[in-house]
Amino acid sequence: METIGILGAGNVGRALATRLHEAGCRVLVGVRDPDRPPLWLDGPADGPRRTGLPEAASAAIVVNALPGAESVRVLRPLRPTLAGAVLVDVANAVELGPDGLAGALCYPGGSLAEEIQRTLPETSVVKTLNTVGPAELMTDPTSLAAPLSAFLSGDDGEAKALVAGLLGKLGWPAEWIVDLGALSTAWWPESFVLMVRPLVAALGPVPFGLAVAR
C-alpha cells in the first residue's frame, strides 16, 4: 500500500486525504498540534491517520497543503526528514486583501515552489493543482462542464512522473495533465491566483480552474 504524507489538515488537506484514502493509499496527515486535530480527523480508525508533521514528512511522496505564506517557515525544520522525498506543492503564497482574496504574490520575482526547492535542496519539488478551486475540485476535476488542466513544473522528470500518477488517483485524465517543464515555470500557474478576485467578481464564488483549449 502506497503511503502519502499530507502536511496540513485544512480544506485542501482534507480533500486530498479523503480521495487518496478512497484510492487505496495509506494517508498520514501531519498537523502542527497532533493533540488538537481538526474534527474530520477523528473519523474511522482505518481512515487517514493524523500524525505530527515529521512523521507525515517521512513518506516517499509528501504533499504541501500548508498555507502558502507559511510553507517555507514550517518546512525548513523538516529538511532532513524530507531529503530524498518528492514534495508535491499545491499551495499559493499570497498576501490577502481585505476581502480575503489574493492581493499580491509573496514571491513576485519567482515562485513559492522555487523558494521551497531552495530551502529543501535534497527534495524533488513538483508544482501542481494550484490553479483550481475550491479544494474539492482538485479531487473531482470531471465535475465541471469543460475539461480542466493540471500543470506540472519540476526539475526531476521521475518525480513529475510519480506526481502524474498521483493525479490519476485523484481522478485527472492523463490527457488533461500538462508538463510545463522546469520548476522555474511554476511562476506562471502561481500567478493565476491574482485573477481569482476579478473572476469571483464576474462569476460569483463558483468552482473554476485554468484550462488550455487545444
Side-chain angles (χ1 to χ4, degrees):
M1 182 182 294
E2 186 175 24
T3 299
I4 307 294
I6 296 179
L7 306 181
N11 291 336
V12 173
R14 178 178 185 172
L16 294 176
T18 301
R19 183 69 181 90
L20 290 170
H21 171 70
E22 291 171 350
C25 298
R26 177 174 178 260
V27 181
L28 304 177
V29 181
V31 295
R32 281 177 267 189
D33 186 353
D35 294 326
R36 299 177 60 187
L39 291 177
W40 72 269
L41 275 172
D42 284 335
D46 63 346
R49 183 166 68 87
R50 73 173 183 266
T51 71
L53 293 174
E55 184 175 352
S58 67
I61 301 178
V62 180
V63 179
N64 174 37
L66 296 162
E70 301 178 30
S71 291
V72 171
R73 177 181 62 81
V74 177
L75 290 171
R76 184 176 286 114
L78 299 172
R79 175 177 171 177
T81 307
L82 287 165
V86 173
L87 182 75
V88 188
D89 177 34
V90 302
N92 286 311
V94 298
E95 297 174 10
L96 298 178
D99 57 1
L101 298 175
L105 299 174
C106 291
Y107 306 101
S111 66
L112 169 61
E114 291 173 286
E115 194 65 26
I116 292 174
Q117 186 66 85
R118 282 189 284 271
T119 303
L120 307 173
E122 301 88 4
T123 302
S124 295
V125 178
V126 179
K127 188 78 184 189
T128 193
L129 286 185
N130 65 303
T131 56
V132 298
E136 290 74 20
L137 195 55
M138 293 180 178
T139 64
D140 190 16
T142 60
S143 62
L144 295 187
L148 292 170
S149 297
F151 302 98
L152 293 175
S153 298
D155 295 329
D156 185 329
E158 291 184 4
K160 285 194 286 188
L162 284 174
V163 175
L166 193 68
L167 291 176
K169 293 180 186 296
L170 293 171
W172 288 84
E175 61 270 22
W176 293 9
I177 301 172
V178 181
D179 187 342
L180 296 179
L183 195 62
S184 58
T185 64
W187 181 87
W188 299 100
E190 286 194 21
S191 297
F192 175 68
V193 72
L194 297 179
M195 197 174 176
V196 171
R197 173 181 280 118
L199 283 173
V200 169
L203 304 175
V206 298
F208 61 82
L210 184 60
V212 176
R214 49 185 170 166

